Amino acid sequence: MPSTSWPRLVPRLVPRLALTLATTGLVLAVAAALLPPPPASAARATALKLSSTAADFRSGEEVFLRVEARRGGRAIAKVKIRVLSRTGNGSWREVARKTTGSGGTVVVSDRPSRTTTYRAVTVERKVRSRSVKVARTTRARTLAQRQEALAQVTGRARGAAVTTRRLGSQVVYQRHARAVVAQVGSSTWLVRGRMLKAYLRKGGVEGRLGAPVVDMRCGLLEGACVQRFQNGAIYLNNKARKKVAVAYGRTKATPILAAALSQRGYREPTYRGSKYGKWVGSKQPWCGIFLAWASHASGSGDAIPRAKSFPAMISKVRARGQVRSAPKVGRIAFIGSTPHHAVLILAVRQNTIVTLEGNVGTRGGAGHPRGVRKLVRPLSSVKFYAEPRL
């Protein structure tokens, strides 16, 4: 086209181009008006922040994790949170499920046994925090170090620290608004919450139980908690017949005894229809199953082997080398020349043992209904004993 044509075409093209652009703009404006507004969550997304009171822990110590939910810089209440943990490259497991309070935060405790990684997620799994790793250590933990790390948990100190000697060990302890903190040797332990109330009722550090030797452990079967002390254990279970159960003894098996004692007075609703049998999936006689349940309920795991039948339990005990020849508090006694019954030993007397046992009648016989009862049996009735594997 000759260049001389452009001056004539420009006046005709400009109005058309302007009309096209105006029409396009109008269409886009109408479309934008018809579309729904973006959700508020898209403009201000929820964020989770996870932190720990300490970067490491000694075996037996609780780890405290704080989760904070914020949106647009503001704390958000009533956010349902799951705290998860894993060791190594293993699968994530749920530690706790809680809801943030008015300050947008929630605190969760765990008692890990190995170096553990934690993270927080919303229940819907739409938001998650960065992971936090807490390493296991063997270094000493003084009273002052633990008090400083757990100041938000324990509250203010009440009075000065006390140095005393309890059950063969030097103990330095201090009472706080919400806890007792006690150093035994190179370790320092915490007693808090509902456990603190039960502990103080028994005299605290100066009482029969003595000083703590581990922190409290919660999240057990039926939502229970347990803690071991120099001379016994306290077991808390709101679903048990005895909500606060105490067992005494200088053995690591006292948490098992305390969990078992919490069940004293339980009766099976139907013949061989006990909750212990349901737990293991069996309608067999449940004396041994009850002992295994107490082991798991106390956080002691398979210290007393879990089996669906009594013969299978005996086989596991023998195979694991747990058989012993003498009675001792916390051991299992197998009754009968050909053993047909198993009981836990609460106390040893000259010619008898005080026992706690399941699947027995009112006076220890085969009558019905059967339940969990405390009895006295002659030593002559015992074939052999077994030590829980702790």
Side-chain angles (χ1 to χ4, degrees), residues 73-228:
R74 295 184 178 182
I76 304 299
K78 298 182 180 180
V79 178
K80 295 180 180 179
I81 302 293
R82 297 174 66 216
V83 175
L84 310 176
S85 74
R86 73 175 180 181
T87 56
N89 294 319
S91 301
W92 291 97
R93 71 170 185 88
E94 185 173 285
V95 175
R97 184 178 295 216
K98 291 193 175 184
T99 303
T100 58
S102 57
T105 62
V106 66
V107 176
V108 171
S109 68
D110 189 31
R111 211 182 83 182
S113 58
R114 294 185 288 171
T115 296
T116 301
T117 301
Y118 295 92
R119 76 180 180 195
V121 300
T122 56
V123 170
E124 301 82 5
R125 290 183 173 271
K126 292 182 179 180
V127 181
R128 73 182 185 185
S129 70
R130 290 184 178 181
S131 297
V132 171
K133 190 173 185 177
V134 185
R136 178 173 172 172
T137 183
T138 56
R139 67 180 182 176
R141 192 84 79 193
T142 66
L143 185 75
Q145 288 172 336
R146 199 114 202 261
Q147 286 174 321
E148 182 180 359
L150 299 177
Q152 292 183 341
V153 176
T154 63
R156 292 185 178 182
R158 291 183 175 176
V162 176
T163 301
T164 185
R165 193 156 189 87
R166 296 293 295 127
L167 301 169
S169 299
Q170 179 173 293
V171 179
V172 183
Y173 72 94
Q174 191 166 19
R175 176 72 195 277
H176 290 252
R178 297 188 295 274
V180 167
V181 185
Q183 180 177 343
V184 184
S186 62
S187 301
T188 299
W189 309 110
L190 175 74
V191 187
R192 64 177 185 88
R194 289 194 304 127
M195 188 65 70
L196 176 64
K197 185 177 181 180
Y199 182 52
L200 293 178
R201 283 180 176 174
K202 296 298 179 181
V205 173
E206 304 292 348
R208 184 179 172 187
L209 285 167
V213 294
V214 291
D215 284 355
M216 177 170 64
R217 182 177 178 184
C218 293
L220 303 173
L221 285 178
E222 299 185 351
C225 297
V226 71
Q227 187 162 4
R228 189 164 64 86

Side-chain angles (χ1 to χ4, degrees), residues 252-270:
K252 291 183 179 180
T254 49
I256 300 176
L257 298 180
L261 282 166
S262 76
Q263 305 297 300
R264 185 181 175 189
Y266 170 86
R267 295 194 302 178
E268 61 181 4
T270 59

Side-chain angles (χ1 to χ4, degrees), residues 251-320:
T251 168
K252 291 183 179 180
T254 49
I256 300 176
L257 298 180
L261 282 166
S262 76
Q263 305 297 300
R264 185 181 175 189
Y266 170 86
R267 295 194 302 178
E268 61 181 4
T270 59
Y271 178 62
R272 292 187 181 175
S274 73
K275 71 175 187 179
Y276 316 108
K278 290 179 181 178
W279 168 71
V280 81
S282 171
K283 284 190 173 289
Q284 296 290 318
W286 50 272
C287 59
I289 295 172
F290 166 65
L291 305 189
W293 181 92
S295 179
H296 281 264
S298 69
S300 303
D302 213 29
I304 299 176
R306 175 174 170 166
K308 291 188 176 183
S309 70
F310 189 70
M313 177 192 180
I314 291 180
S315 296
K316 287 187 176 183
V317 166
R318 292 186 184 277
R320 287 169 23 167

Side-chain angles (χ1 to χ4, degrees), residues 166-169 229-232 248-252 254 328-329:
R166 296 293 295 127
L167 301 169
S169 299
F229 303 86
Q230 289 174 302
N231 188 44
Y248 293 99
R250 301 293 296 274
T251 168
K252 291 183 179 180
T254 49
K328 186 179 177 181
V329 172

